[in-house]
Amino acid sequence: MTGTGIRLHAPEPGWAISADVVVVGSGVAGLTVALRCQAAGLRTVVVTKARLDDGSTRWAQGGIAAALGDGDTPEQHLDDTLVAGAGLCDEEAVPILVTEGPDAVRRLISTGAHFDTDDEGTIQLTREGGHHRRRIAHAGGDATGAEISRALVEAVRAHGLRTIENALVLDLLMDAQGRTAGVTLHVMGEGQHDGVGAVHAPAVVLATGGMGQVFSATTNPSVSTGDGVALALRAGAEVSDLEFVQFHPTVLFLGTDAEGQLPLVSEAVRGEGAHLVDADGVRFMVGQHELAELAPRDIVAKGIMRRMQERGAENMFLDARHFGADMWEQRFPTILAACRAHGIDPVTEPIPVSPAAHYASGGVRTDQYGRTTVPGLYACGEVACTGVQGANRLASNSLLEGLVYAERIGADIARGRTEGRLQERVPEPVPYPQQPVHPLLAPEDRFTIQRIMTEGAGVLRSERSLQEAADRLHRLHGEARDALFENGKTSEPGVDTWESTNLLCVARVLVAAALLRAETRGCHWREDHAERDDTSWRRHIVVRLNPDRTLAVRTTGTADFPPTLPDAPGTARTGETPTTRPLQEQ
């Protein structure tokens, strides 16, 4: 059974395969881990929810940040990252990111990724919000993620890694000692496997991406339903900082009723000199921050929202008409095509923009090797909380984090086999309990959750809005729970109902943490607590799911994380004084 005894209601696995490592996710983090593990001689299986190239990585427009340019240094990159993180970056994690980042990017290039270069073959670098130097490498103008995904997918296929596509991971398997023993999953459609099955392995790497679909309007693809975070919670792992959801300031505004994945207008457009203006053409970010439109994303998003409130407007505008047609077509072809597809021509008119949910800075809590609080379970990429991002991610640090920490996980798993921490034999999972203990929501509940979260836990939050959201989510859960335990009824198992159930799980944790954090910090903006409070809140909120479905919530004693696995090498930290605060039933 899983660590809490709670699992999704699903048929018993009808098939099983064995491996040394199962990687869940096929973005930059997942495929990098998989390639490193296979290179170390480990039998590796990649499980992905859609096609190999259909995750969040391919949508990354801006680029990947690293100190690659003349005059730039890891120390300068570190300073910009810490400023953006608003006092909550783990100061052991960020130096790892910025010092190992440049070589990790070079290894990515050697894998086959092609970045834009000048006539002499030097990588072209641009700026984005929060960066004081040009350090963003890009590909295809504004198609960096697509190029990275292409290169990694080709490498995976060239090396013959075993992959299972169109597969939704369900729950973690564990052995009698409480260690990871693999995952259950449901394969959709025709293929080598079909229906619910299992991959038995002593190491599981979650690289499932984000949870942007918990909001009505997001830049995330439809597959980003928080599956990895929900699985980890049911497995007994700790999650942290879920209240810090970054809302990208400049998402193409398609009307107040627009829902689902919306087109992103990359920060790199502002990096090249575009201006944020209101309907009268006034540059309202000038004077609000020394970097104006290139301030960290939380500051720009707040600036846009304030101006919208002042003017009673539904959106602001991004003016890049001065770029001219040639620059638009060469530097930003993807964005240009997306705008024109919606009847907007950036060459001749300003682009209507507004903030939308973009990136989760929080996630499954890990150490500097990607290890979670469940032995054998790792996490990297957006699903993880390494401490690098703090309260607000610095632009284009996400691809770098996925890359750097994926390499570290691959090395740790290989080292674990050598040191005996990773079993050589396939572990024997403990059977699941016969009776399902977690009710499934109806497919249409997904849209209810999204509306609740957008209204109560969006860019602007308050105790009143968050409490109302918490109450509505609690009622939604209670209705499903009562139907199961009183009448033995629950929604039919299936992708739609599993996704809705996962979204509710992460939504309730996010709202609980946002209610508890009574301050404004980074991308967490509380209207009723407008100031940052370092005395009370320069610390992390850590949440775990109890077997009785209550949430165990504590705060760390400092901005650094305590160890995830105290007995593992490389996890020594200074002492912490956590505060435990019980919350209502999950």
Side-chain angles (χ1 to χ4, degrees), residues 89-142:
C89 293
D90 186 319
E91 295 191 10
E92 289 188 13
V94 180
I96 290 171
L97 179 83
V98 299
T99 56
E100 297 183 11
D103 283 343
V105 172
R106 295 183 184 103
R107 284 188 289 272
L108 179 62
I109 293 171
S110 69
T111 301
H114 300 293
F115 291 95
D116 295 340
T117 59
D118 59 23
D119 293 338
E120 298 178 353
T122 302
I123 294 177
Q124 292 180 327
L125 301 173
T126 190
R127 279 183 68 191
E128 291 185 0
H131 294 273
H132 282 78
R133 282 191 175 271
R134 286 182 171 264
R135 65 168 64 98
I136 317 300
H138 51 84
D142 57 359

Side-chain angles (χ1 to χ4, degrees), residues 43-381:
R43 294 177 302 151
T44 305
V45 174
V46 176
V47 176
T48 186
K49 194 172 180 181
R51 300 186 307 275
L52 277 181
D53 61 352
D54 209 21
S56 294
T57 291
R58 67 184 288 249
W59 298 100
Q61 294 175 345
I64 185 167
L68 297 167
D70 292 340
D72 198 4
T73 64
E75 290 74 22
Q76 294 176 69
H77 190 183
L78 181 145
D79 289 343
D80 287 345
T81 300
L82 294 180
V83 169
L88 275 191
C89 293
D90 186 319
E91 295 191 10
E92 289 188 13
V94 180
I96 290 171
L97 179 83
V98 299
T99 56
E100 297 183 11
D103 283 343
V105 172
R106 295 183 184 103
R107 284 188 289 272
L108 179 62
I109 293 171
S110 69
T111 301
H114 300 293
F115 291 95
D116 295 340
T117 59
D118 59 23
D119 293 338
E120 298 178 353
T122 302
I123 294 177
Q124 292 180 327
L125 301 173
T126 190
R127 279 183 68 191
E128 291 185 0
H131 294 273
H132 282 78
R133 282 191 175 271
R134 286 182 171 264
R135 65 168 64 98
I136 317 300
H138 51 84
D142 57 359
T144 309
E147 169 59 18
I148 290 173
S149 180
R150 180 207 60 78
L152 291 173
V153 168
E154 286 189 6
V156 163
R157 288 175 173 155
H159 287 81
L161 265 97
R162 187 169 190 174
T163 62
I164 303 176
E165 296 181 274
N166 301 307
L168 172 62
V169 67
L170 299 176
D171 280 302
L172 190 72
L173 293 167
M174 300 180 77
D175 65 16
Q177 287 72 47
R179 291 188 55 87
T180 295
V183 293
T184 57
L185 63 156
H186 174 76
V187 181
M188 301 163 270
E190 297 179 0
Q192 184 178 358
H193 305 288
D194 200 4
V196 175
V199 180
H200 296 160
V204 172
V205 182
L206 296 178
T208 52
M211 54 185 186
Q213 288 291 323
V214 78
F215 294 95
S216 297
T218 177
T219 63
N220 288 196
S222 61
V223 295
S224 298
T225 51
D227 306 319
V229 172
L231 175 149
L233 283 163
R234 291 191 296 272
E238 293 182 345
V239 303
S240 185
D241 298 357
L242 252 63
E243 69 271 31
F244 295 118
V245 176
Q246 187 178 81
F247 286 77
H248 198 288
T250 54
V251 175
L252 187 62
F253 179 74
L254 300 178
T256 56
D257 296 330
E259 294 183 339
Q261 185 181 8
L262 301 177
L264 175 68
V265 182
S266 170
E267 198 144 332
V269 178
R270 281 176 280 139
E272 295 291 355
H275 302 145
L276 278 168
V277 298
D278 59 22
D280 295 328
V282 177
R283 288 182 62 189
F284 55 87
M285 285 303 300
V286 175
Q288 292 198 37
H289 190 275
E290 61 171 340
L291 296 177
E293 286 93 350
L294 284 177
R297 287 178 178 173
D298 63 310
I299 294 172
V300 179
K302 291 170 188 175
I304 291 174
M305 293 298 296
R306 288 193 185 101
R307 195 65 163 191
M308 286 165 57
Q309 289 177 327
E310 291 171 2
R311 293 300 181 93
E314 297 176 337
N315 65 278
M316 290 288 111
F317 297 89
L318 189 64
D319 192 351
R321 290 174 290 180
H322 54 285
F323 284 5
D326 288 345
M327 181 174 176
W328 267 111
E329 290 167 0
Q330 294 174 18
R331 180 67 178 86
F332 301 109
T334 306
I335 299 170
L336 179 63
C339 288
R340 285 177 170 171
H342 292 282
I344 301 158
D345 189 350
V347 177
T348 60
E349 61 185 317
I351 305 168
V353 294
S354 65
H358 182 56
Y359 185 87
S361 292
V364 184
R365 189 168 80 81
T366 73
D367 66 8
Q368 59 190 299
Y369 296 101
R371 297 177 293 222
T372 74
T373 53
V374 174
L377 179 65
Y378 294 77
C380 64

